Amino acid sequence: MNVLADKGYHSGRELKACEELGVTTFISQKESSSIKKNPAFAMQSFMYDEKHDTYTCPAREAMHTNGRWYNKKLKNSRQSYLVKHYKTKACEGCKLRAQCTTNKLGRLIERTEYQQYVDRNNNRV
Ligand code: SF4
């Protein structure tokens, strides 16, 4: 079954459930405030490499994970989900840093346990 749905009312958890039930979703991506503010440094500008489990940032630096999953709570909910963190030491001397992050420790990318389902949905739209 193919499902076309309005954006903004779905979650990665639901996209995973649909896929496991054989439901193919076509739901537009939510536009985050970071995309509108600074698209070149929004999450979508960080390319994921599934084979090496790394991201490549806009400065073409590889961002690595320590492999650990961290529990993250949903706002105003008892539900939580798992995320992995990706970082690079290259942030320290990066010329693009002021545009990329205000975090003293450098840019942090979080990848949720549902990201592959979100990506497959987004690629279909
Ligand atoms: S601040 Fe870090 S993550 Fe951002 S572009 Fe520079 S090296 Fe890449």
Side-chain angles (χ1 to χ4, degrees):
M1 180 167 81
N2 293 335
V3 168
L4 179 67
D6 202 2
K7 70 177 170 186
Y9 301 96
H10 65 287
S11 67
R13 187 187 303 254
E14 290 161 351
L15 293 177
K16 178 181 183 225
C18 285
E19 205 176 291
E20 287 172 353
L21 288 168
V23 175
T24 305
T25 58
F26 295 86
I27 308 171
S28 288
Q29 209 171 337
K30 295 175 195 170
E31 282 165 16
S32 68
S33 53
S34 65
I35 292 182
K36 288 179 194 159
K37 222 165 44 182
N38 198 355
F41 293 90
M43 174 73 183
Q44 283 71 10
S45 298
F46 291 70
M47 295 297 131
Y48 184 62
D49 177 337
E50 191 177 349
K51 190 176 167 199
H52 299 103
D53 192 18
T54 56
Y55 276 90
T56 303
C57 78
R60 301 193 178 184
E61 297 288 348
M63 302 178 80
H64 299 274
T65 174
N66 63 10
R68 286 188 61 188
W69 288 97
Y70 299 92
N71 211 31
K72 196 166 177 184
K73 286 228 181 273
L74 274 175
K75 278 181 197 165
N76 307 320
S77 167
R78 283 186 181 176
Q79 285 188 340
S80 62
Y81 57 99
L82 299 174
V83 297
K84 273 204 235 178
H85 291 169
Y86 297 79
K87 304 176 199 171
T88 173
K89 287 181 179 158
C91 295
E92 228 166 89
C94 179
K95 289 177 185 167
L96 305 174
R97 185 171 177 155
Q99 299 168 71
C100 187
T101 184
T102 54
N103 186 342
K104 280 183 196 164
L105 301 174
R107 183 72 184 259
L108 173 74
I109 294 294
E110 283 186 344
R111 182 177 177 83
T112 82
E113 60 183 304
Y114 304 117
Q115 192 60 47
Q116 64 270 39
Y117 302 97
V118 174
D119 290 345
R120 283 197 281 272
N121 170 77
N122 292 349
N123 289 338
R124 283 192 291 271
V125 175

